[in-house]
Amino acid sequence: MLGQIKYPHLFTPLDLGFTKLKNRVLMGSMHTGLEEREGGFERMAAYFAERARGGVGMIITGGISPNMEGGFGAKLSTPEEALRHKLVTDAVHAADPGVKMCMQILHMGPLAHGEDAVAPSAVRSRISRQTPTELDAAGIEKQLSDMVNCAEMAKKAGYDGVEVIGSAGYLLSTFLVEKTNRRTDDWGGSFENRMRFPVECIRRIREAVGTEYILIFRIAAMDMLEGGMSWDEVVQLGKAIEAAGANIMSTHFTWHEATVPTIATMVPRAAFTSVTGRLRKELSIPVITSNRINMPDVAEDVLVRGDADLVSMARPMLADPDIIIKTLEGREDEINTCIGCNQACLDHTFTGQEVSCLVNPRACHETLLEYKPTTSQKRIAVIGAGPAGLSYSEVAAKRGHQVTLFDAADEIGGQFNLAKKIPGKEEFYETLRYFAKMIDVRGIELRLSTIVTADMLRAGGFDEIVIATGIEPRVPELEGISHHKVVSYIDVIKGIKTVGKSVAIMGAGGIGFDVAELISHKGKSASLDIDTFAKEWGVDFKNHPRGGVTGVEPIVEAADREVYLLQRKLTPVGRGLGKTTGWTHRIALARRNVKMINGCDYVKIDDLGLHVRIGDQLQILDVDTVVVCAGQNPLRSLYDELQADGLSVSLVGGAFEASELDAKRAINQACHMASAV
Ligand code: FAD
Ligand code: NAP
Ligand code: SF4
């Protein structure tokens, strides 16, 4: 097939001696939230089977705890629990017997949610609410035998192997570094003692499961925090784990408490693979690399460079279950690319919601959101080719409807055409490429540069009319809002209006932050250049200091401009941003000296600047430009006109509800509506 010629490394099988992986791509471990839910295993079975059919070589489940103290409910320690897992392994092997299905054993240690969390020492993590209990010698033995039992149960459940996570600030990694392991017995002190627990864990699991079983260890190749492992320690641990019986080493980067972004969209693609490549030279077992490898060419390049034997794609498998089969068939331009936003996956995990995907709401909802062929074809007009209109059109046309998609602009994408211009959001181009291709593939009639009116639609003879016209920016009622200093965010991002040397941004939502990023930015976008990224986040890939970080506050180049980012609320600025990415934006702007001010009442705008009241103090911000990013209102006059005529018309996306609208909600709503039309 075409893909095998274009990506020869990616499609070369990997022989592990007793078993073979059919290609070099695995679906990395992701917690879905289904593990603990009623009916969750049935849904997981459908979710994983769909990925198995999509061509991936190996799948690793989300983390499963070996005991109560190690996790948050999704435990595997009994034969009854193993039976539930069998639903998953049977479904995957039925979908494709060639796919290897492994289970991740995750002992969260000090990050476990319950009050009975345990750790080598009673050291509370920066991101945890409770201090763990220090394990005594018997407690350590119990944890080890629970890990072994969990692996045995996984084998019983039909898994082809297990992965033991030894990174991220979970139990095993807390043994490894001095800041969390203060023991003076055989399990602490020298590095040899500190690595005893993970090594013993692998040794005993291997003994229990036998030689012909996949046993992966996930090593923190870079902890990304001060006081983490040195490079020599990483190598020493890797070799000891190999000797203890692991047959694949998976490299991981970061502890959850680290302050370096490692998977957000601002991280360059394949940023960390050079570290895996260095470790690979020290070991003789196959090595997996990961993080921001979201397209087949990126994965192939990693393998060509010799950075790894296997490439882990986790979130890209949420975004498109068929990514590998499309690659194999030479249909890469049909891949729905993971944009690294975290909005529906990791943000959901960390807020206790079921995982899904912004660009693919079916992810983890395979049995609930189905795109079945229609039995009565309709002629549908979709007005607006933003994310909502595009998604609706794609799904409706896929189901067999005849769709005409209109947009006033001369390109598809709506507000995504603004988003893609923000440094760090270049991945949005991929979503637009995907939709452009799908318009072709699905035979959607596209009419650009067409401002649709109610009369046009009345005359069109459509069975259904879907209004996806999006939003219009809110203009606050404020003295001086028409002053020549005042500009809209749309004009600034499009480059229609320039901003001066000093700028006040009114509104610190997602768009206010993006505008602040755009106008405070200087030089290359760090997301497109690994060296710039490393400099801006204090990472030293080449010298690999302890933990991988320099420990010095990074000096970040900034535009020669004074920027104020303002909001009226008293909550900290940026509180409403994504759970797992908001902090990266706050840090990035602070490093460029953007002044973020909350509790700010706007009084007026005049030649002197923006007059504000902060607490009891009246102040004049002597700025050249005021950029309004004060939210949006729905644009739905067409709907109001047509509904009065009794036509079958519906609203979707921003046109339906502009408040707190994001692309996740717009796409999700559109896909659900189109699945039922
Ligand atoms: P829109 O994208 O606004 O599309 C509406 C379309 O309708 C437009 O193309 C318009 O031309 C067309 N239209 C309007 N009237 C007519 C008419 N009469 N005839 C024909 N066509 C018409 N969301 C996220 O989830 N994550 C992000 O990181 C993110 N970043 C963003 C960054 C920026 C700078 C901006 C501006 C937005 C960002 N968003 C983000 C928000 C996201 O883009 C919107 O939520 C999403 O675009 C809304 O989709 P929509 O289809 O409802 O509307
Ligand atoms: P938003 O997040 O709702 O923020 C609007 C801002 O304007 C708030 O700071 C609000 O805070 C302020 N505001 C509201 N009414 C105002 C008024 N009358 N006068 C002055 N200020 C007012 O909306 P947005 O920034 O326009 O973003 C639109 C959507 O796109 C959001 O839902 C967002 O999630 C999404 N988006 C997401 C990202 C992302 O990275 N995930 C990036 C960009 C956009 P105060 O009321 O406190 O002043
Ligand atoms: Fe990727 Fe965003 Fe989907 Fe998560 S929600 S899988 S980061 S596109």
Side-chain angles (χ1 to χ4, degrees):
M1 288 219 216
L2 197 57
Q4 281 159 323
I5 300 165
K6 227 169 142 188
Y7 307 101
H9 294 76
L10 213 53
F11 290 107
T12 301
L14 179 72
D15 195 349
L16 292 174
F18 61 95
T19 192
K20 224 181 221 179
L21 307 187
K22 65 176 178 174
N23 59 43
R24 301 303 180 104
V25 184
L26 65 130
M27 176 176 174
S29 174
M30 284 176 291
H31 193 76
T32 62
L34 298 177
E35 295 84 351
E36 302 88 28
R37 260 160 233 216
E38 188 67 33
F41 277 83
E42 285 80 357
R43 284 175 59 190
M44 268 199 294
Y47 155 71
F48 283 125
E50 193 157 313
R51 272 80 197 159
R53 279 190 292 274
V56 68
M58 178 161 74
I59 295 176
I60 304 187
T61 66
I64 301 291
S65 171
N67 54 26
M68 288 307 288
E69 57 269 36
F72 44 89
K75 151 176 103 58
L76 174 57
S77 61
T78 65
E80 295 73 43
E81 285 163 346
L83 268 184
R84 290 197 296 161
H85 285 260
K86 206 146 186 340
L87 283 176
V88 171
T89 54
D90 284 349
V92 167
H93 291 138
D96 183 345
V99 174
K100 303 298 162 204
M101 184 71 198
C102 300
M103 191 193 84
Q104 187 186 75
I105 303 178
L106 162 68
H107 191 309
M108 295 178 82
L111 299 182
H113 296 182
E115 280 176 5
D116 48 1
V118 294
S121 303
V123 179
R124 189 170 70 87
S125 160
R126 186 177 70 78
I127 55 165
S128 182
R129 291 211 184 101
Q130 81 268 352
T131 303
T133 303
E134 177 171 320
L135 287 161
D136 58 17
I140 287 182
E141 281 302 326
K142 175 185 183 302
Q143 302 312 313
L144 283 170
S145 68
D146 288 351
M147 300 282 287
V148 172
N149 174 55
C150 185
E152 287 175 316
M153 290 299 139
K155 194 171 178 190
K156 208 182 204 41
Y159 287 106
D160 301 297
V162 289
E163 173 178 270
V164 176
I165 182 157
S167 52
Y170 296 129
L171 181 69
L172 274 66
S173 51
T174 52
F175 272 91
L176 291 164
V177 302
E178 278 173 343
K179 91 187 201 122
T180 46
N181 182 348
R182 301 184 178 160
R183 305 179 73 94
T184 51
D185 59 6
D186 286 353
W187 305 96
S190 66
F191 188 65
E192 202 173 349
N193 278 358
R194 279 184 275 134
M195 71 177 189
R196 191 180 308 281
F197 186 89
V199 172
E200 203 46 28
C201 189
I202 292 298
R203 194 187 62 73
R204 294 189 197 185
I205 290 178
R206 173 56 77 206
E207 207 172 270
V209 295
T211 47
E212 306 212 332
Y213 199 63
I214 299 174
L215 176 51
I216 309 167
F217 184 77
R218 195 135 207 230
I219 191 170
M222 258 193 180
D223 290 311
M224 297 292 177
L225 82 167
E226 284 181 65
M229 281 188 288
S230 70
W231 175 243
D232 289 346
E233 288 170 349
V234 172
V235 173
Q236 193 181 337
L237 174 66
K239 289 185 169 173
I241 291 287
E242 178 177 335
N247 43 18
I248 301 181
M249 187 69 66
S250 177
T251 49
H252 200 194
F253 311 92
T254 208
W255 279 36
H256 290 308
E257 64 186 75
T259 50
V260 177
T262 51
I263 60 166
T265 189
M266 60 164 59
V267 176
R269 291 175 170 189
F272 305 105
T273 66
S274 61
V275 183
T276 312
R278 252 200 329 265
L279 185 60
R280 182 170 178 252
K281 291 197 185 94
E282 304 282 348
L283 305 178
S284 39
I285 52 176
V287 175
I288 302 174
T289 197
S290 64
N291 289 46
R292 291 281 289 121
I293 300 171
N294 62 347
M295 286 298 274
D297 57 329
V298 185
E300 177 74 8
D301 286 351
V302 166
L303 297 172
V304 169
R305 282 199 301 273
D307 279 355
D309 302 280
L310 289 156
V311 171
S312 167
M313 289 176 145
R315 295 173 300 165
M317 297 280 167
L318 291 179
D320 194 333
D322 293 328
I323 180 168
I324 302 306
I325 207 149
K326 286 178 180 174
T327 305
L328 191 59
E329 292 171 359
R331 297 188 287 125
E332 306 92 301
D333 51 354
E334 289 179 31
I335 291 172
N336 197 0
T337 307
C338 165
I339 58 174
C341 65
N342 282 0
Q343 285 177 244
C345 52
L346 231 61
D347 283 352
H348 280 205
T349 302
F350 283 94
T351 50
Q353 302 172 69
E354 276 176 16
V355 161
S356 188
C357 171
L358 179 141
V359 299
N360 173 26
R362 282 198 75 242
C364 299
H365 295 73
E366 287 72 14
T367 56
L368 306 177
L369 176 58
E370 293 184 274
Y371 303 150
K372 291 189 177 145
T374 180
T375 48
S376 67
Q377 191 191 52
K378 290 181 179 168
R379 281 193 68 224
I380 305 177
V382 179
I383 324 305
L390 286 165
S391 307
Y392 186 100
S393 302
E394 210 267 281
V395 173
K398 179 185 172 126
R399 296 188 51 230
H401 293 298
Q402 200 184 326
V403 179
T404 308
L405 173 63
F406 299 88
D407 205 291
D410 59 4
E411 57 183 349
I412 61 161
Q415 294 174 64
F416 266 27
N417 290 308
L418 301 178
K420 74 187 184 189
K421 296 209 162 98
I422 307 299
K425 288 198 161 178
E426 294 82 2
E427 292 287 0
F428 283 70
Y429 280 98
E430 294 284 10
T431 308
L432 297 173
R433 182 264 309 143
Y434 166 76
F435 278 119
K437 179 68 189 175
M438 295 324 279
I439 285 170
D440 252 19
V441 170
R442 305 274 180 235
I444 296 165
E445 184 185 345
L446 178 65
R447 298 220 201 134
L448 292 175
S449 307
T450 309
I451 300 172
V452 176
T453 62
D455 281 343
M456 284 163 69
L457 293 168
R458 282 187 198 107
F462 295 102
D463 302 315
E464 293 284 338
I465 298 168
V466 180
I467 306 295
T469 43
I471 52 87
E472 54 190 351
R474 179 181 292 132
V475 182
E477 283 179 22
L478 180 67
E479 186 182 334
I481 196 72
S482 306
H483 194 275
H484 65 82
K485 284 177 186 245
V486 182
V487 294
S488 122
Y489 68 85
I490 295 180
D491 289 346
V492 173
I493 299 173
K494 282 187 171 169
I496 294 170
K497 295 264 173 72
T498 50
V499 297
K501 284 276 182 199
S502 57
V503 182
I505 299 171
M506 278 175 64
I511 292 178
F513 264 80
D514 276 354
V515 168
E517 173 70 35
L518 180 73
I519 66 175
S520 65
H521 192 91
K522 188 176 178 192
K524 283 183 196 160
S525 173
S527 52
L528 300 179
D529 184 74
I530 295 176
D531 289 340
T532 308
F533 170 81
K535 208 170 101 198
E536 290 195 356
W537 290 95
V539 180
D540 186 344
F541 288 119
K542 293 191 179 88
N543 301 307
H544 202 127
R546 187 170 278 284
V549 289
T550 59
V552 182
E553 180 64 17
I555 298 164
V556 174
E557 269 197 295
D560 178 20
R561 176 173 287 137
E562 190 170 32
V563 180
Y564 298 92
L565 179 56
L566 311 171
Q567 73 174 30
R568 300 174 302 178
K569 284 187 284 290
L570 285 166
T571 50
V573 175
R575 168 68 62 87
L577 299 178
K579 177 88 178 166
T580 61
T581 52
W583 61 272
T584 63
H585 297 299
R586 287 190 292 272
I587 293 178
L589 292 189
R591 286 185 182 150
R592 291 206 196 87
N593 292 322
V594 172
K595 295 173 191 69
M596 292 171 250
I597 304 174
N598 56 2
C600 189
D601 272 338
Y602 310 117
V603 179
K604 64 176 176 180
I605 302 159
D606 61 18
D607 291 346
L608 296 177
L610 175 61
H611 299 240
V612 292
R613 187 180 295 108
I614 301 168
D616 296 337
Q617 299 278 308
L618 267 177
Q619 283 186 35
I620 303 172
L621 302 178
D622 172 19
V623 292
D624 306 318
T625 313
V626 177
V627 187
V628 180
C629 302
Q632 291 115 1
N633 295 317
L635 188 61
R636 57 157 89 122
S637 52
L638 267 180
Y639 176 81
D640 297 336
E641 276 187 68
L642 293 168
Q643 220 204 9
D645 296 351
L647 292 170
S648 182
V649 54
S650 48
L651 285 165
V652 65
F656 174 76
E657 171 66 270
S659 168
E660 293 181 9
L661 169 81
D662 58 12
K664 178 178 74 175
R665 203 181 80 202
I667 293 174
N668 187 42
Q669 185 194 18
C671 291
H672 276 88
M673 281 171 62
S675 74
V677 68

